[in-house]
Amino acid sequence: MTFTGTPSANAIRALTVDAVQKAKSGHPGAPMGMADIATVLWQQFYNHNPANPEWANRDRFVLSNGHGSMLQYALLHLSGYDLPMEELKQFRQLHSKTPGHPEFGYTPGVETTTGPLGAGIANAVGMAIAEKTLAAQFNKPEYDLVSHYTYCFLGDGCLMEGISHEACSLAGTLALGKLIAFYDDNGISIDGHVEGWFTDDTVKRFEAYGWHVIANVDGHDAAAISAAIEQAQSETTKPTLICCKTVIGFGSPNKSGSHDCHGAPLGDDEIAQMRAFLKWEHALFEIPDPVYQEWDAKALGAQKEEAWQSLFARYCEAYPEEGKEFTRRVIEKSLPADFDKHADEFVMSCQEASEGIATRKASQNAIGFFAGQLPELLGGSADLAGSNLTLWPDAKGLQDDPAGNYIYYGVREFGMSAIMNGIALHGGFVPYGATFLMFMEYARNAVRMASLMNAKDIFVYTHDSIGQGEDGPTHQPVEQMANLRMTPNLSTWRPCDATETAEAWRQALKKNGPSALVFSRQGTTAMPRNEAQIGDIAKGGYVLKDAADPQIILIATGSEVGVTMEAAAALESEGLSARVVSMPSTSYFDAQDKAYREAVLPASVPKLAVEAAHADYWYKYVGHTGDVVGMTTFGESAPGGVLLKHFGFTAENIAEKAKALLV
C-alpha cells in the first residue's frame, strides 16, 4: 500500500477501529476497505438531510453487508445525524443506537435492518421499485416530485447468497434505472480467500440480468469512483453494478488483505501502526474540526429539502387532489378518513352473502374491494396468482405499466418477501405478496426481518393445511402456523369464512406492522353471526356458538371451524352442552384484557382445540387437562377430504375427543 487515504475517509477508518476495539468485537475490515467509496458517494452525490431522516425525496442507502455497520454509523455521525460520539463509543452495547448490525428504528438514517447477507440488496430492489412506481403515479410534467436514487453496498457474501440472484434478476427485468449497487470486490470472506468457493464471473452474471455493469473500478481512487457513479447515473433504463476492487482492512499494515481483519478487533499495536501509516495523529474517537466541516451535510441537506418542499407546494397548487393523496400516503402514512366506514359495509356484505367458499377466494374478493379504497396497495404473487387468487380486475402489472399496482414476482418467494420489506420501508405503498403456506419456509428469514423491523407487509399464504391434498407432504404445511404465531410483532390470521377473511384484511391494513393472512384451498362453511359477534372477530377469538352452561369448549380456526360446529351439534344431541370459539388470530386474542379472555375461555371449563396444523401450539390454551385434535406427523398424498378424515378432522372424532375430557 502506498496510497494513505484522504482525511475524510481515514476518519471512517479511525472511528471503526476505535469502536470495534472498545467493544472487543465487530467487523473492521469492510468499513476500512469501503471508506473511500463511501466518502465519494456521501460527500459528492448522496442527497439527504441529516436534520430530517424522513424527508420523502431523500436518496436511500442500504448497507447489505451489514456486518460492516461501523461504516454506516461513522457516515451518519460525521454527516450530522443525531448520532453523537458517545453512541459510537457504546458500539454493540445494550440500548445504544449503534447495535452490532444496522437496525431500522434504532439509528436515525438507517433505512433497513441488515445483517443476513443478501437481504439488503433485495430490500434495495424493493426501494427502487417503490421509487419508480411512485414517480410514475405522481410525477407530472415539470414536477419531478419523486426522483431519488437507491444506493446499496454489498460484498462477496451477499452475491453468494441465492436471494441476490432472485432480487437482482427481477431488478433487471423491471429496468430499475435509479438503483446503483457497489460491489466490494476484496476477494475475502470469513474462511479466507474466496477463490476456493466463489469463482463466478460477476460481470457476466449481472449483464445477463440486464444490469449496466462498470467493472474494475479502483475502490481507493476517488476520481475513478466519482466517474463510475456519474456513468451509473447517466444510465436511466438499467440498474447499475459498480465493481470496486478494494483491499479489506485498508490501512492496517499487517492484517489488510486478509480474513484476519474481517470480524475481530485489530488490537492496540496494530491500530497504532495503522494510525502511523495513515498519518492519523488524533486520539481515540477524536475527529478534528476541518474533517467535521468536510463531512457536515446539515446546511446543504436543509437547502435541498427546502427546494423540494417549495416544489411540492407548487405541485399541490397545480394538482391539489394528487397533493393530498401524496401527503396521506407518503408523508402521513395514514388510511383514508372513511376507511373503517367502507370496511364495515364490506364485512357486513360478506356476512349477508352466507356463501361457503374457500377463504383464498374470499381473500380475492377482499383484495378487489380494498384495492378500490387504497391505491397504495401493491400486490404480487410468487408465480401462483391463479392459485393464490391475488389478481383482481383492475390489477396492472408493473412490467406493462410503471404506474401499476401488481408485481409478477416469478418463482422467488424469498426475494419477493425481502423486496416487500424494501417497498414498505420506502413508503407510499402497502405491499402484499403471496405463495403457498408451505413455501413460507423459503422466505422465512425475510418474514422474520419484517417482524424485527415492524414493516407493514401483508404476507398472503394459501393452501393452508393437509387439506391442500394430492400434492402431498412436500406441499402440506404442518408446523408453519406455530412458526408464524410465535414470531414477535407478526399478526397471523387464519379465518374460517368470508366474513372473518374480510376482517382479517381490514386489520392487516390498519396495523402498523406485518401480518400473515393464511387461507384455505378447500371450501369452508359460512358461519351465522349476530352483529356483536361480527364486531368481536377483531378481537382475534370470540364465542361463535354458546351454550347456557357449557360443559366443554371447542376452539377451532380456519376450515376446521365448520366441522367443529358439527361436532358441537352432535354433542348437544347427546345432552352435552358445548361452546365453540373461533380464534382466527391468537395474537389479537392474547392482546385482549384478562376479563375478556377469561369470559371466552373460562379456566373452569375443559377445552379441546381443533386445527389441521401442529398440535403442540394449542396447549397454551387447553392446558394439561385439555386435548388437541391436530397434527403430530407430516401429511400424505391423497385428496384433501380423504386426508382430513384420515387424520381425524371429523365431527365424530372431535365429539369423541370432547367426551373423553368429560369422563
Side-chain angles (χ1 to χ4, degrees):
M1 292 184 294
T2 55
F3 170 68
T4 57
T6 64
S8 286
N10 289 341
I12 295 173
R13 296 183 172 105
L15 289 174
T16 294
V17 298
D18 290 348
V20 171
Q21 189 66 27
K22 186 174 187 297
K24 296 183 174 59
S25 72
H27 299 77
M32 296 169 71
M34 299 193 79
D36 299 302
I37 305 168
T39 300
V40 172
L41 174 64
W42 278 59
Q43 289 191 352
Q44 298 181 29
F45 296 92
Y46 191 55
N47 291 316
H48 62 127
N49 182 5
N52 181 16
E54 297 298 314
W55 172 32
N57 201 43
R58 68 192 182 278
D59 289 338
R60 270 59 169 182
F61 175 78
V62 176
L63 185 69
S64 189
N65 45 346
H67 53 271
S69 57
M70 266 309 302
L71 172 64
Q72 189 161 16
Y73 300 148
L75 290 168
L76 294 168
H77 168 76
L78 292 166
S79 297
Y81 284 78
D82 182 18
L83 193 66
M85 186 67 80
E86 189 58 34
E87 293 292 344
L88 274 62
K89 293 179 180 179
Q90 295 301 310
F91 179 54
R92 290 187 156 220
Q93 305 309 302
L94 183 64
H95 301 317
S96 75
K97 291 183 180 180
T98 51
H101 290 80
E103 292 192 36
F104 176 76
Y106 268 68
T107 316
V110 169
E111 301 283 1
T112 180
T113 300
T114 56
L117 293 178
I121 181 60
N123 295 165
V125 170
M127 292 175 186
I129 289 173
E131 188 277 338
K132 182 176 181 178
T133 306
L134 203 65
Q137 292 181 358
F138 282 99
N139 286 0
K140 304 290 184 182
E142 299 182 13
Y143 291 98
D144 282 337
L145 191 64
V146 180
S147 180
H148 52 263
Y149 287 93
T150 300
Y151 298 104
C152 181
F153 282 8
L154 69 159
D156 293 298
C158 294
L159 293 181
M160 283 186 259
E161 291 285 1
I163 189 174
S164 70
H165 163 75
E166 295 184 29
C168 294
S169 168
L170 186 60
T173 299
L174 294 179
L176 302 179
K178 288 193 173 179
L179 172 62
I180 300 176
F182 297 80
Y183 168 33
D184 181 28
D185 184 8
N186 60 31
I188 296 292
S189 65
I190 292 176
D191 284 349
H193 292 272
V194 300
E195 63 261 20
W197 48 87
F198 184 55
T199 57
D200 299 13
D201 190 326
T202 299
V203 171
K204 289 182 179 178
R205 171 185 165 186
F206 274 78
E207 287 177 343
Y209 292 154
W211 284 55
H212 172 219
V213 182
I214 305 172
N216 296 315
V217 175
D218 184 343
H220 303 296
D221 182 334
I225 297 163
S226 180
I229 296 173
E230 289 177 352
Q231 184 182 343
Q233 291 184 344
S234 70
E235 172 53 74
T236 60
T237 63
K238 296 179 179 181
T240 295
L241 180 71
I242 302 176
C243 300
C244 299
K245 290 289 185 181
T246 64
V247 177
I248 189 172
F250 182 93
S252 172
N254 301 301
K255 295 187 177 182
S256 64
S258 163
H259 66 281
D260 290 341
C261 65
H262 169 86
L266 297 184
D268 292 332
D269 290 343
E270 186 67 14
I271 290 174
Q273 292 184 56
M274 183 203 81
R275 278 178 148 78
F277 172 78
L278 296 177
K279 300 180 175 57
W280 187 262
E281 300 172 351
H282 312 289
L284 301 179
F285 294 103
E286 180 184 320
I287 304 296
D289 286 340
V291 173
Y292 270 129
Q293 289 170 15
E294 286 183 11
W295 272 108
D296 191 352
K298 295 192 291 294
L300 183 58
Q303 180 182 338
K304 289 180 177 180
E305 181 177 356
E306 184 179 346
W308 182 86
Q309 293 290 358
S310 177
L311 173 71
F312 184 47
R314 298 194 303 274
Y315 178 94
C316 290
E317 289 179 6
Y319 303 97
E321 291 305 313
E322 289 88 341
K324 289 178 183 177
E325 190 70 354
F326 188 88
T327 298
R328 179 186 70 79
R329 285 173 52 178
V330 180
I331 298 174
E332 296 177 349
K333 300 179 176 66
S334 63
L335 294 171
D338 58 358
F339 174 79
D340 269 325
K341 174 181 177 293
H342 292 303
D344 283 341
E345 294 169 355
F346 177 66
V347 172
M348 186 57 69
S349 72
C350 292
Q351 182 63 36
E352 291 169 351
S354 298
E355 248 186 306
I357 56 176
T359 51
R360 63 171 174 160
K361 177 59 180 175
S363 171
Q364 184 181 43
N365 295 339
I367 291 169
F369 171 79
F370 285 115
Q373 305 296 312
L374 303 173
E376 61 264 42
L377 201 57
L378 184 58
S381 171
D383 201 51
L384 288 169
S387 295
N388 300 145
L389 301 185
T390 48
L391 288 168
W392 71 101
D394 294 328
K396 296 177 183 177
L398 296 189
Q399 79 281 2
D400 299 319
D401 183 356
N405 52 18
Y406 194 85
I407 303 173
Y408 289 86
Y409 282 103
V411 187
R412 299 180 176 97
E413 297 89 353
F414 191 5
M416 172 183 73
S417 303
I419 287 169
M420 287 167 58
N421 288 344
I423 293 171
L425 293 169
H426 178 280
F429 296 98
V430 177
Y432 75 81
T435 186
F436 289 173
L437 177 57
M438 187 65 246
F439 301 145
M440 180 275 291
E441 294 292 351
Y442 279 133
R444 173 62 189 151
N445 183 264
V447 176
R448 185 177 187 271
M449 296 300 285
S451 303
L452 184 63
M453 295 185 285
N454 213 31
K456 189 169 181 175
D457 296 311
I458 301 176
F459 300 105
V460 176
Y461 299 123
T462 68
H463 297 60
D464 65 352
S465 71
I466 57 170
Q468 197 275 346
E470 294 89 341
D471 281 337
T474 61
H475 284 54
Q476 294 165 6
V478 171
E479 70 275 25
Q480 285 66 37
M481 286 300 305
N483 188 319
L484 292 170
R485 286 170 175 149
M486 290 188 294
T487 303
N489 297 333
L490 180 67
S491 296
T492 301
W493 291 80
R494 186 174 183 247
C496 76
D497 65 2
T499 305
E500 287 190 358
T501 298
E503 187 61 44
W505 265 104
R506 185 231 293 262
Q507 294 302 322
L509 289 165
K510 291 183 69 173
K511 184 189 175 191
N512 290 320
S515 299
L517 306 183
V518 182
F519 302 122
S520 69
R521 176 197 186 193
Q522 63 273 22
T524 61
T525 305
M527 293 293 123
R529 296 178 186 84
N530 58 37
E531 190 172 340
Q533 289 172 313
I534 294 172
D536 284 344
I537 296 172
K539 296 177 180 176
Y542 63 102
V543 178
L544 181 62
K545 177 192 175 301
D546 210 356
D549 187 17
Q551 297 169 273
I552 185 79
I553 296 176
L554 307 178
I555 311 169
T557 79
S559 55
E560 290 78 74
V561 170
V563 72
T564 302
M565 290 284 276
E566 294 176 21
L571 290 170
E572 287 188 349
S573 70
E574 298 182 37
L576 300 172
S577 58
R579 168 183 289 182
V580 177
V581 171
S582 177
M583 195 177 290
S585 176
T586 58
S587 61
Y588 272 61
F589 179 76
D590 292 345
Q592 304 307 309
D593 60 44
K594 184 178 180 181
Y596 178 80
R597 288 183 279 118
E598 176 64 19
V600 174
L601 298 177
S604 59
V605 183
K607 302 168 189 69
L608 176 70
V610 183
E611 186 177 57
H614 204 288
D616 284 3
Y617 179 84
W618 287 100
Y619 286 100
K620 66 180 286 188
Y621 298 104
V622 304
H624 295 299
T625 59
D627 201 358
V628 181
V629 178
M631 297 293 294
T632 56
T633 68
F634 294 114
E636 297 281 353
S637 182
V642 173
L643 291 174
L644 289 167
K645 182 177 180 180
H646 173 75
F647 285 102
F649 297 99
T650 64
E652 294 78 13
N653 185 54
I654 295 167
E656 289 301 314
K657 292 278 189 179
K659 286 188 285 186
L661 294 175
L662 300 176
V663 176

